[in-house]
Amino acid sequence: MISSPTFRFSLVLSLLCAGSLLTSRAGAQPRDWRQRLPHRRVLQPPPAPPAPASVAAAPAPSAEAAVAPGTMAAPAAVTIAASAEVAELAEVVVDVERPPAEAMPPATAPVESPRATHAGSVSTVSEDELDRQKASNLGEVLARIPGVLYVDEDGRGTKPDIGLRGLNPIRSEYVQLLADGVPVQPSMYSEQAAYYGVPAERVVGIDVYKGGAAVLFGPNTVGGVVDVISRAPSQRPVAVVLDARLDGNPDALGNVFVSGTQGGLSYGLEYLRKRGEGFRDGLDYSIDDLDLELGYDFGRGHSARAHFQYYDEVSETPGGLLPEQFRRDVSVSHKPDDEFFGRRIQGDLRTSHQLSEHQRLDTLAYAYYFRRDWYIQNYADNAAPDATLADDNGQFLRDFNVAGFEPRYTLDYDLGPAHSRLTIGGRVYYDEVDRHSVTGNRGSSRRGDGVSTSYEELTSFVLAAHAQEELKLFDRLSIVPGVRFEHIEQTRQDLIAGTVEQKVDYSVWVPGIGLKYELMPSSVAYANVTRSFRPPSFGDSFNPAISASSLDLQASTAWTYEGGVRLEPYAWLQADLGGFYTDFKDQVVVSNGLASNYDTHFYGFEGSAQLGLLGMASAAATARPTELFLQGGLSLIEATFADGEFEGNTLPYAANVSASFGALLELNGAASLTFQGRYVGARFTDNANTRAEDPAGTVGELEAYSVFDLKARWRVAEPITLHLGVNNLFDELYATQRRNGSQKGLFPGPTRTVYVAANASF
């Protein structure tokens, strides 16, 4: 292994750029978010292969049918065993001859929704649903998906805490977060904790993969994958989209997106500015987010898109509250000098190449820098039930440099009477993390004013490859086997102590197999078995004041078994029902600042349904422009320790029961009214399942809570839409998490908030 991390980072970045340029005959991206080639073709499971000529193909659900108006995102399709009939298949016939230019399919061919193609449990949120919700952060939307637990930290969503299927949501360390296929977490391997959340205003779609994702996506997929999709440039020469939102905290935002297409060239420039004071003292923040993209369609099935982002955040962090303070007034804060600074600079280049009628190559190269500086004033006693502040602080300074290159090749071919689609992909990845901890000389100290207590340099170098075959055995039956291999090299060095660089190398095989059967058009039964893994993190702690990192921790692996049905028999009815079991080996569990490996078990049921009452009454064959929908979702999950001193106990932050419910009235596409709610059951916050609350509020069971929202949308004219809503309509008092140390106490959920918003397109 090359010894200089800086040299290796430069080398890998150069190779990535060179690899992308070698495939640079490319072009502009499709304009509809469901057709964004690099986003969905590079990183989602490929579309279902067409049926051979000898087999009548069942009609595939359209993108619009995949997420009907007002639909709740829900579990979906999936993956299991092989068939003996495969052994009798005839010879392989592969057409690799390049067709003439006029026969080349366009580079902007539509891509189906993952609900129609993915052989695993998946939920999607449409652009219309996101517009109807008009959420201030994506967590508000994700929280309504069965199996997803969103822990709100401060109402802003800038430090996402997302957990899937009973896994700990703090800092989203057990879910892979992507934005258009590019990692959102500062590091996928060295330190997975998320300190950046994609602004909701820039998102037009969300895909949540909860099963069968590890072969295609790689690490941190034990719970699943969340991929958010940004808006694409307009097909017109010039188009402008304006968004504005104001609430009673007061928080305000303005967003402008200018885009267009001239011939083969497309462009998009987006600028977002958010400012606010939040629902508590010490929650002032400002966010500036600039995005630029350029695409070009070279014709003959080749396209490319370059993207650049600059994100800058300055936000106060109010910390926790002692129990009596929490119950008296959640708006207060003890920490006037605590502040977070985040800056992300990202560039990515993706290309798409239709090599022949049956062959396709997609590439994605990305590099980004993320700086995270967090200044947290200490208490005189960080463990006592006392809010007296000390005149010093902890400074947790992190710098991340990341580069990656991910090619993917797709081949359609006939295997005797069966049609097959082979997908082969890879990943070259490198990250370098500088972790610097300082004790400040004063409570308000910043960089350069303090004494260093630790300074570590961490690196991860990864080579990965995967192959997945989708074999359509019969008209309705498909089997999807796949395998992934990852080789990971990690290093750590203490630059203050001058210790010898520590190294660890390991390799992981990730197999999976799935089955999906089309019960009827738009209705699927599924099952799968998949292995997944999570590399040991150097920062397995939700509290920045804790350094529970050790190269002695083992890599975590898990086997997940799941099955269910996704039903859309009528335009007015949608239902998803599924169950899962996960056997997790060597899960890294952090409790009270200590990290250890434990075997754990997770199993449960996820279900959601949507019923259009007017469509049902009239037995409508198509979706009605005026409709009253009833919506509901339910998760029943058991997450327990399988060994050690806590065997049989429930894991921290696992909610055994969670539910969502609501009613949506759509009025001829001109207006909508939504009343919705969600329930989250009680959760333990430590391994010992302590129920009683300690005086400082650092341990104890978190009570169950229910939150209701009321939202209205009115399309005033063709280009203008107005929104009015109330979040937490009944002003429910609830706590989302507990922390210890310099942020000790209970963290309250957002209080009642009234908002108005408007968006216009020209």
Side-chain angles (χ1 to χ4, degrees):
M1 189 173 64
I2 300 173
S3 59
S4 169
T6 303
F7 174 77
R8 290 180 59 182
F9 180 80
S10 302
L11 176 61
V12 171
L13 183 58
S14 300
L15 290 173
L16 303 188
C17 295
S20 293
L21 291 174
L22 287 174
T23 57
S24 63
R25 289 199 62 191
Q29 301 311 310
R31 319 310 169 199
D32 185 279
W33 76 270
R34 290 193 177 280
Q35 299 177 349
R36 301 205 66 169
L37 294 174
H39 300 170
R40 293 184 173 270
R41 280 217 169 100
V42 170
L43 288 167
Q44 93 167 46
S54 61
V55 180
S62 66
E64 289 75 15
V67 185
T71 190
M72 290 181 55
V78 179
T79 27
I80 205 162
S83 168
E85 299 180 43
V86 178
E88 302 301 322
L89 295 176
E91 78 272 15
V92 176
V93 179
V94 181
D95 180 2
V96 296
E97 179 180 349
R98 183 180 183 84
E102 60 271 15
M104 287 296 290
T108 58
V111 177
E112 294 179 278
S113 163
R115 281 178 59 81
T117 62
H118 179 49
S121 179
V122 64
S123 302
T124 60
V125 183
S126 68
E127 181 175 5
D128 186 64
E129 176 66 12
L130 287 165
D131 182 66
R132 187 185 300 110
Q133 292 288 335
K134 216 60 184 177
S136 62
N137 64 79
L138 293 179
E140 296 177 17
V141 179
L142 292 170
R144 298 188 55 75
I145 297 176
V148 177
L149 177 62
Y150 174 70
V151 174
D152 202 308
E153 185 165 323
D154 50 30
R156 298 174 297 205
T158 56
K159 306 172 190 65
D161 296 320
I162 302 167
L164 301 180
R165 293 182 164 178
L167 288 160
N168 196 321
I170 304 303
R171 291 290 171 264
S172 306
E173 292 199 32
Y174 287 93
V175 58
Q176 188 180 128
L177 302 180
L178 304 172
D180 296 330
V182 177
V184 168
Q185 277 123 325
S187 163
M188 291 178 67
Y189 292 86
S190 292
E191 187 168 351
Q192 298 94 347
Y195 291 94
Y196 160 73
V198 179
E201 296 73 24
R202 288 185 45 229
V203 176
V204 295
I206 306 175
D207 297 334
V208 180
Y209 301 87
K210 289 177 287 182
V215 171
L216 292 175
F217 293 94
N220 306 329
T221 53
V222 179
V225 178
V226 177
D227 189 11
V228 301
I229 313 299
S230 62
R231 64 181 115 202
S234 170
Q235 298 183 52
R236 295 184 290 155
V238 180
V240 179
V241 178
L242 302 174
D243 295 287
R245 188 180 191 276
L246 177 67
D247 66 33
N249 285 324
D251 293 350
L253 74 88
N255 188 59
V256 57
F257 179 57
V258 181
S259 69
T261 301
Q262 294 277 4
L265 177 67
S266 66
Y267 66 92
L269 177 63
E270 186 165 16
Y271 175 63
L272 169 73
R273 184 177 178 87
K274 298 179 77 168
R275 298 287 187 276
E277 299 177 9
F279 68 97
R280 296 180 59 191
D281 296 339
L283 264 180
D284 291 6
Y285 70 99
S286 66
I287 293 173
D288 292 278
D289 189 8
L290 176 68
D291 268 65
L292 171 66
E293 79 169 63
L294 293 172
Y296 196 79
D297 189 344
F298 292 91
R300 296 176 60 86
H302 298 274
S303 64
R305 194 206 77 163
H307 167 254
F308 171 80
Q309 179 196 20
Y310 177 87
Y311 172 92
D312 187 77
E313 175 193 348
V314 179
S315 57
E316 297 178 345
T317 55
L321 293 171
L322 300 178
E324 69 276 8
Q325 296 166 332
F326 171 80
R327 293 174 178 87
R328 184 173 63 246
D329 184 3
V330 297
S331 68
V332 302
S333 170
H334 314 300
K335 311 296 287 296
D337 292 318
D338 288 8
E339 202 164 17
F340 176 93
F341 296 85
R343 177 172 297 169
R344 182 181 175 101
I345 302 173
Q346 174 189 320
D348 56 81
L349 173 67
R350 60 194 74 216
T351 71
S352 185
H353 311 272
Q354 196 73 40
L355 305 177
S356 73
E357 183 181 357
H358 302 289
Q359 298 182 90
R360 184 179 192 87
L361 174 66
D362 297 292
T363 70
L364 170 64
Y366 53 86
Y368 58 87
Y369 165 77
F370 182 71
R371 166 170 283 190
R372 189 220 82 180
D373 290 356
W374 201 346
Y375 303 91
I376 303 176
Q377 188 170 3
N378 289 310
Y379 289 102
D381 186 337
N382 283 337
D386 182 355
T388 303
L389 293 170
D391 192 21
D392 60 30
N393 69 5
Q395 302 179 18
F396 307 97
L397 316 177
R398 307 286 187 266
D399 289 281
F400 301 82
N401 289 283
V402 176
F405 179 60
E406 302 184 15
R408 178 167 293 186
Y409 170 78
T410 304
L411 171 67
D412 291 318
Y413 64 97
D414 292 329
L415 192 63
H419 191 81
S420 183
R421 165 162 288 175
L422 173 65
T423 301
I424 300 174
R427 172 183 291 155
V428 182
Y429 174 95
Y430 177 79
D431 68 45
E432 180 177 307
V433 183
D434 289 340
R435 290 168 48 98
H436 190 191
S437 297
V438 176
T439 298
N441 294 323
R442 298 182 304 279
S444 58
S445 292
R446 295 297 182 258
R447 267 188 185 252
D449 183 17
V451 178
S452 295
T453 56
S454 68
Y455 197 166
E456 297 176 315
E457 185 178 79
L458 321 171
T459 70
S460 290
F461 177 72
V462 181
L463 293 174
H466 71 268
Q468 181 169 283
E469 180 91 357
E470 181 167 353
L471 183 65
K472 194 162 189 177
L473 300 177
F474 306 106
D475 186 19
R476 297 183 177 184
L477 178 65
S478 296
I479 186 170
V480 189
V483 65
R484 185 182 188 92
F485 174 78
E486 297 232 0
H487 177 71
I488 303 168
E489 302 176 1
Q490 293 183 310
T491 70
R492 181 177 69 174
Q493 185 173 19
D494 188 329
L495 300 181
I496 290 182
T499 56
V500 176
E501 181 182 74
Q502 297 173 285
K503 302 178 182 180
V504 60
D505 299 352
Y506 52 96
S507 298
V508 181
W509 286 96
V510 181
I513 187 169
L515 187 74
K516 60 179 180 180
Y517 182 79
E518 186 178 6
L519 301 170
M520 62 184 76
S522 302
S523 295
V524 176
Y526 60 88
N528 79 28
V529 179
T530 306
R531 194 184 192 216
S532 52
F533 78 102
R534 178 182 185 271
S537 170
F538 292 106
D540 279 306
S541 172
F542 60 83
N543 188 328
I546 299 171
S547 298
S549 33
S550 170
L551 285 174
D552 295 329
L553 295 175
Q554 302 298 311
S556 306
T557 59
W559 282 97
T560 296
Y561 311 80
E562 67 172 358
V565 293
R566 180 176 71 255
L567 304 173
E568 298 180 28
Y570 307 105
W572 43 267
L573 176 62
Q574 176 188 7
D576 289 51
L577 305 172
F580 70 93
Y581 172 76
T582 298
D583 183 9
F584 204 165
K585 298 294 184 183
D586 293 319
Q587 179 184 353
V588 178
V589 180
V590 177
S591 178
N592 296 326
L594 299 175
S596 300
N597 287 114
Y598 295 94
D599 291 347
T600 56
H601 293 159
F602 301 80
Y603 62 91
F605 165 84
E606 299 165 344
S608 69
Q610 176 175 272
L611 176 64
L613 296 182
L614 302 183
M616 180 180 65
S618 63
T622 59
R624 295 172 54 95
T626 296
E627 183 62 278
L628 176 61
F629 291 98
L630 298 182
Q631 304 167 329
L634 176 66
S635 298
L636 303 174
I637 296 174
E638 290 288 336
T640 58
F641 289 94
D643 67 355
E645 59 180 312
F646 303 112
E647 183 175 357
N649 285 7
T650 298
L651 272 81
Y653 289 97
N656 295 126
V657 181
S658 61
S660 60
F661 34 86
L664 164 66
L665 177 62
E666 280 280 2
L667 298 173
N668 202 33
S672 67
L673 181 65
T674 304
F675 176 74
Q676 63 188 28
R678 58 187 176 93
Y679 168 84
V680 177
R683 291 133 292 141
F684 294 111
T685 57
D686 66 342
N687 296 348
N689 289 183
T690 305
R691 292 185 181 274
E693 182 177 67
D694 72 337
T698 59
V699 296
E701 188 177 35
L702 292 173
E703 296 179 355
Y705 65 88
S706 298
V707 175
F708 296 86
D709 307 320
L710 184 63
K711 299 171 181 284
R713 178 178 66 175
W714 177 36
R715 291 192 172 96
V716 180
E718 180 62 29
I720 301 174
T721 303
L722 300 180
H723 303 259
L724 175 64
V726 185
N727 293 331
N728 196 356
L729 181 64
F730 303 114
D731 205 20
E732 173 88 352
L733 174 65
Y734 64 100
T736 63
Q737 58 184 297
R738 300 178 186 272
R739 293 190 186 174
N740 53 19
S742 57
Q743 290 191 310
K744 65 184 177 185
L746 290 149
F747 277 60
T751 54
R752 181 193 294 124
T753 304
V754 179
Y755 70 85
V756 293
N759 50 276
S761 302
F762 304 97

